[in-house]
Amino acid sequence: MTKATGIHQLMKLWRFPGHDYLCFGDTRTDIPMLKDVCLGITMEHADKEVMLHADAVCGRSDCNGISSFLRASSLIKKESYAAFLRKYKMFPYADELRIETFFI
């Protein structure tokens, strides 16, 4: 069992198409997953062997490298949590919240 086979089992369960996912990896155990995906990203601190199987490289995982990559690629947008709750009418006091989060 690899991470890629586990992801495929989940995707089948959730009825998502074959290889339409992206992943982040930095160790040798991530290589099968990086080879399998539509978009494989590795961190700049990963082994050179791992980087050979990636489509892109992002910053360090311990320095917001993943979220920075996703924002720069326009895969996520920053939105206030209050705006999100207001949009979906989930909380009547949403304007009082000051929490920011990211949504895909």
Side-chain angles (χ1 to χ4, degrees):
M1 167 82 64
T2 66
K3 292 178 184 180
T5 57
I7 289 169
H8 281 284
Q9 289 178 352
L10 286 172
M11 291 176 71
K12 184 177 178 181
L13 178 71
W14 295 330
R15 296 188 178 125
F16 290 134
H19 300 274
D20 293 346
Y21 67 98
L22 66 85
C23 74
F24 291 86
D26 62 350
T27 65
R28 291 184 178 158
T29 60
D30 296 326
I31 291 174
M33 180 177 63
L34 289 165
K35 291 166 70 174
D36 180 64
V37 300
C38 162
L39 177 62
I41 304 115
T42 189
M43 279 59 95
E44 64 185 14
H45 63 270
D47 292 339
K48 297 284 185 216
E49 180 185 353
V50 178
M51 286 187 178
L52 292 174
H53 301 283
D55 300 304
V57 177
C58 72
R60 297 183 56 85
S61 57
D62 58 352
C63 297
N64 297 323
I66 293 174
S67 63
S68 296
F69 179 88
L70 291 171
R71 275 196 312 276
S73 303
S74 299
L75 293 171
I76 61 173
K77 63 180 180 176
K78 191 171 185 179
E79 180 179 52
S80 76
Y81 190 52
F84 175 78
L85 292 174
R86 258 194 322 278
K87 185 182 345 181
Y88 295 102
K89 299 178 175 77
M90 295 173 70
F91 188 67
Y93 305 105
D95 290 328
E96 297 173 17
L97 298 175
R98 299 284 179 251
I99 304 168
E100 290 184 336
T101 190
F102 292 96
F103 298 94
I104 296 176

